[in-house]
Amino acid sequence: NAGVTQTPKFRILKIGQSMTLQCTQDMNHNYMYWYRQDPGMGLKLIYYSVGAGITDKGEVPNGYNVSRSTTEDFPLRLELAAPSQTSVYFCASKRDSYEQYFGPGTRLTVT
Amino acid sequence: QKEVEQNSGPLSVPEGAIASLNCTYSDRGSQSFFWYRQYSGKSPELIMSIYSNGDQEDGRFTAQLNKASQYVSLLIRDSQPSDSATYLCAVRGGSQGNLIFGKGTKLSVKP
């Protein structure tokens, strides 16, 4: 199993551009999460999903959108990128009450 | 707003010593607590889970929980330079399994 994979690893965006961060898991996990981590800070929840077709907002959803059309994939969409979205983005997944597994992260810079 | 507080450090200990990391949380109803280790530039990795008052041991790691004081700690015995990392305390924040993270404590183990 590859676990949780994220692409791209790094990206530089100009202000106002859009992009999609990809997240895929091959563990048949029902729960999936997107977090962002700013320097020297803990992780903050952006969006989560409890299964295909079901998504909900976390603590910091503004400026982002998600979809969950399959169990495996949970892409995060940034519209109109802003410097405040410069961060490291982690995708995670889990099954029911078990631990969360994190992907390797995407480091995004908006200039 | 549920919060998790950690001393950001850095905490410096000599090789072979016991490292003690502490965490407090605001929601008295919290039931599940986690310690993640994060090496620089990497994703968080779960090292300990604890759900009931008392101690939970796994090798050189011991997690301690005191719900009355809303306090969680992590002890690392016989600290090694490879333990140098940021340690994130996390509390399960809701029924959907999302985690609320502290800002992390940076640990440095000196040879």
Side-chain angles (χ1 to χ4, degrees):
Chain A
N1 287 351
V4 181
T5 57
Q6 292 183 240
T7 57
K9 286 187 170 53
F10 304 94
R11 183 72 185 269
I12 298 174
L13 279 183
K14 294 191 186 305
I15 294 171
Q17 287 184 321
S18 300
M19 76 165 293
T20 299
L21 282 67
Q22 301 292 346
C23 175
T24 300
Q25 53 90 10
D26 62 359
M27 298 174 283
N28 200 31
H29 286 173
N30 46 340
Y31 291 85
M32 295 188 74
Y33 306 87
W34 275 106
Y35 294 91
R36 61 176 285 174
Q37 185 177 33
D38 298 331
M41 304 292 285
L43 285 77
K44 292 192 181 297
L45 183 66
I46 306 171
Y47 270 95
Y48 66 94
S49 169
V50 302
I54 306 170
T55 63
D56 207 348
K57 296 177 181 178
E59 184 182 357
V60 289
N62 290 345
Y64 307 95
N65 275 302
V66 294
S67 60
R68 183 102 181 265
S69 57
T70 67
T71 298
E72 295 78 20
D73 300 307
F74 190 39
L76 178 72
R77 178 80 177 164
L78 277 72
E79 305 282 0
L80 299 175
S84 61
Q85 294 177 304
T86 293
S87 191
V88 181
Y89 292 84
F90 290 104
C91 179
S93 72
K94 77 176 184 76
R95 173 185 291 284
D96 298 324
S97 60
Y98 295 97
E99 68 171 277
Q100 288 190 24
Y101 290 86
F102 283 83
T106 294
R107 189 174 298 271
L108 176 67
T109 302
V110 182
T111 62
Chain B
Q1 182 79 0
K2 298 174 184 176
E3 294 183 340
V4 176
E5 300 285 343
Q6 293 182 256
N7 186 327
S8 61
L11 173 67
S12 183
V13 301
E15 184 175 355
I18 295 176
S20 177
L21 302 111
N22 305 311
C23 168
T24 58
Y25 58 95
S26 63
D27 181 10
R28 186 169 289 278
S30 296
Q31 299 291 324
S32 305
F33 308 88
F34 308 88
W35 283 99
Y36 282 81
R37 177 175 63 200
Q38 187 176 28
Y39 292 114
S40 181
K42 301 295 186 182
S43 59
E45 172 193 12
L46 181 69
I47 53 172
M48 291 293 294
S49 308
I50 187 164
Y51 305 98
S52 56
N53 276 334
D55 295 0
Q56 180 83 28
E57 188 174 315
D58 184 2
R60 296 187 295 112
F61 299 97
T62 299
Q64 299 174 319
L65 174 61
N66 183 327
K67 288 186 178 181
S69 301
Q70 295 176 237
Y71 177 90
V72 192
S73 64
L74 178 70
L75 301 178
I76 307 175
R77 291 182 299 282
D78 188 23
S79 295
Q80 301 297 310
S82 58
D83 295 325
S84 297
T86 296
Y87 289 81
L88 300 167
C89 175
V91 175
R92 183 160 287 154
S95 60
Q96 307 307 336
N98 53 291
L99 299 175
I100 299 170
F101 285 86
K103 294 180 181 180
T105 299
K106 187 170 185 177
L107 173 67
S108 177
V109 180
K110 304 293 187 185

